[in-house]
Amino acid sequence: MHIKDKLAQAEQDGKPMFSFEFFPPKTAQGVQNLYDRMDRMHGLGPSFIDITWGAGGRLSELTCEMVNVAQSVYGLETCMHLTCTDMEKGKVDAALKEAYKAGCTNILALRGDPPREQEKWEATEGGFRYAKDLVKYIREKYGDHFDIGVAGYPEGCDDQRDQDLLIEHLKEKIDAGGTFVVTQMFYDADIFLDWVNKCRARGINVPIIPGIMPIQTHAAFLRRAAWSQCHVPPSWTEALEPVKNDDAAVREVGKGLVAGLCRRIIDAGILHLHFYTMNLAQATRMVLDELELTPSRDSPIKQPLPWRQSLGLNRRDENVRPIFWRNRNKSYVMRTQDWDEFPNGRWGDSRSPAFGELDAYGIGLKGSNDQNIKTWGEPKSIRDIAGTFVRYLKGELEILPWSESSIAGEADVIKSDLIDLNQRGLLTINSQPAVDGVKSSHPVYGWGPHNGYVYQKAYLELLISPDLITELITRIERDPDLTFYAVNKSGDLSTNAPGDGPNAVTWGVFPGKEIVQPTIVETISFLAWKDEAFRLGYDWAHCHSVSSPSRHLIENIMDTWYLVNIVHNDFHQSRSIFSLFDGLQVPDLDKELAVSRAVKDLHSSNGVEVHGTVNGVSTTNGV
């Protein structure tokens, strides 16, 4: 969606909105950390993010990758920076092509800063001299596909302090096809608002988005103010000086100062704030909390669907997904990224015939071995593993191998039942409660357009011991309202589903629309998920050494247990699905799995262990 349209909607609703800027980190670990932070900050409800472009395009490949991930995986409307610096036309064409392929529809066109080794900015041969030339080129080549933003400078820029001349340049960029303005950072509301009035007087009528720099530390505050040459009100200096050596106090004082600046802007009728996050979350969130712009139970983020939508190319109309990946959104997007079409309306023949390979980036277990052992411990028994699941359900752990995020709020009504199952060795990896028609505006279960009603069938997905699987299936088959799938690592499938077609487990009824069925259970997807689910278990096992009891315990579960999903098709029944398990408990919960002497001797020999082998001899049954 174009940024100008989001801004128009905010103005129509009279509701302030905000966005975030990020820049490409220099290390691979920094990139992963930023992705995790972007994922968390998605929960604050930004209307869009933007990602900067390194001078000369040195980080161009990473910028393009980050735009693609933000759009496709995290469902963040993304604006890509693009500069003229050291960029001949061919590089610009390549960057625009990548942005288009990623589903990006917004570009911030900039002249850019000179590379560090150059004192003055110089145009590249065969490139663009001014931002207006870049704007004109993008508009001529792509028409209205891209919304094109340009930079505004309320207090001048590095090589030009004449405000009136810069406003003339801004007018030229708008006349060339620019559709919105993002400003340089500033701390003086009077200067900014006076500049906005001058822009309007000059006929610049597109939306102007103020650039807001939160205060992280006193040193950073001074450095960024000096770099941008912006005026710092004396009252700000007086407020920050006494606490300058206490970073926490600086953030607290800075929160109030920056929030006050934002209130002045909002009161003047400018309803969008663009935060320069510097890839950090805390200071920005503090300001948003102070402004009461963050989501709450009384004011939740409105979700169009019960799962996070991808904004990748051709995926904006996708509105059906299997429930199995509800806790692994990135994996689902990556495994379906090469599909030509995505399910829309009904899950049917438009789907590609295969899911992507399990060795694609982003599908395996995250984190290093040491990190994962620190998180999940070194279990010696089924009770130890069950305890890890219980800790997750209680909110003491943020992730499990099968879940990339903390337990969702909708699980609160069934949390005690889930904890009880896990304490008996019935390991739950996915679930949803039954919902019998709540308003689409409901703070926990709501999704979709206003004035609708949403429904859910009770769903459970568990790892079940072979000691219990026959009894459990017998119980399921006695109840005509229950359908199930059970499969082991080898792919031996048992089910009572009437066919291979989809069973909707979430749906919504909305005025003037057909019934929407966005979450389903069906055979082909479950078998694809089965491979991934068992792979994740083996990845967890392989965090531990070959001779570790933990490794052999987890591998034994993956080798012998069943992955089972159960749907209670009567959505009026809120707890009946749990009565299936009355009296069931895994035997010998506290029994520790013995590791053979041969394996111990093999590990203690002179060989070097690599991914489950010693001197090339396999010591596991891993997949």
Side-chain angles (χ1 to χ4, degrees), residues 93 139 200 212 241 278 371 378 406 429 501 523 533 545 581:
D93 286 338
R139 189 62 74 205
R200 298 306 187 212
I212 307 297
E241 183 67 23
M278 306 308 293
Q371 288 171 334
E378 300 183 65
S406 55
I429 63 175
T523 307
S545 68
F581 302 92

Side-chain angles (χ1 to χ4, degrees), residues 93 209 230 283 292 370 387 440 506 572 580 587:
D93 286 338
I209 303 175
C230 70
E292 299 183 343
D370 288 342
S440 59
T506 305
H572 303 96
L580 272 174

Side-chain angles (χ1 to χ4, degrees), residues 3 20 32 44 104 111 212 301 355 427 471 495 528 589:
I3 288 173
F20 302 140
Q32 185 55 58
L44 298 177
C104 175
R111 189 199 69 173
I212 307 297
I301 297 175
F355 285 79
L427 306 177
E471 173 62 21
T495 180
L589 278 172

Side-chain angles (χ1 to χ4, degrees), residues 22-26 31 34 51-54 59 62-63 66 279:
F22 300 104
F23 61 85
K26 295 180 180 179
V31 172
L34 180 57
I51 297 175
T52 66
W53 188 270
L59 295 174
L62 182 53
T63 294
M66 290 179 65
N279 289 3

Side-chain angles (χ1 to χ4, degrees), residues 18-38:
F18 54 88
S19 51
F20 302 140
E21 178 179 286
F22 300 104
F23 61 85
K26 295 180 180 179
T27 66
Q29 186 58 53
V31 172
Q32 185 55 58
N33 291 343
L34 180 57
Y35 283 153
D36 292 342
R37 183 164 289 129
M38 288 165 61

